[in-house]
């Protein structure tokens, strides 16, 4: 069974800039499957900037990226905030991050 863990950045960072909110997708045995990293901004409107969406190379093609994006949508709805997604498509030749 797959599960998401949410990690919030430290509160001490003014405006939370440079620290990511992370939704980490793991298998029930703890195996890392993928994650999304987001920054929260409160100006000009409150929104989450989706910095990076990744799926472990060996698990690509299983629909995990879609699962992660659905979880992001649920997270944004729960928070009542907008989300901004920019280029998150990795070059297939790059090493996993």
């Amino acid at each position: 069974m797959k599960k998401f863990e949410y990690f919030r950045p430290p509160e001490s960072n003014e405006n939370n800039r440079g620290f990511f909110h992370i939704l980490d997708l793991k298998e029930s045995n703890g195996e890392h499957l993928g994650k999304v990293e987001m920054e929260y901004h409160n100006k000009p409107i409150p929104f989450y900037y989706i910095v990076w969406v990744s799926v472990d190379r060996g698990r690509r093609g299983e629909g995990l990226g879609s699962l992660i994006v659905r979880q992001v949508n649920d997270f944004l709805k729960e928070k009542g905030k907008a989300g901004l997604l920019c280029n998150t498509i990795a070059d297939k030749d790059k090493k996993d991050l």
Side-chain angles (χ1 to χ4, degrees), residues 3-7 22-26 32 34-36:
K3 64 179 181 174
F4 282 93
E5 291 183 66
Y6 171 63
F7 298 96
I22 297 172
L23 290 171
D24 198 14
L25 177 60
K26 293 186 177 184
H32 182 264
K35 69 178 176 180
V36 62

Side-chain angles (χ1 to χ4, degrees), residues 20-39:
F20 298 124
H21 293 257
I22 297 172
L23 290 171
D24 198 14
L25 177 60
K26 293 186 177 184
E27 196 66 77
S28 59
N29 65 5
E31 176 190 0
H32 182 264
L33 301 173
K35 69 178 176 180
V36 62
E37 297 175 350
M38 303 174 286
E39 285 183 339

Side-chain angles (χ1 to χ4, degrees), residues 12 20-21 43-44 58 63 65 71 82-83 89 91:
S12 61
F20 298 124
H21 293 257
K43 293 180 182 179
Q71 184 67 27
I89 300 171
D91 182 339

Side-chain angles (χ1 to χ4, degrees), residues 48-81:
Y48 283 88
Y49 173 68
I50 297 139
V51 177
W52 189 254
V53 177
S54 65
V55 173
D56 285 0
R57 184 175 299 274
R59 301 300 297 264
R60 293 180 185 164
E62 298 179 23
L64 298 175
S66 296
L67 180 63
I68 291 169
V69 170
R70 283 194 302 273
Q71 184 67 27
V72 169
N73 285 333
D74 291 346
F75 175 84
L76 295 172
K77 286 178 188 174
E78 180 183 309
K79 298 289 186 183
K81 307 291 186 211

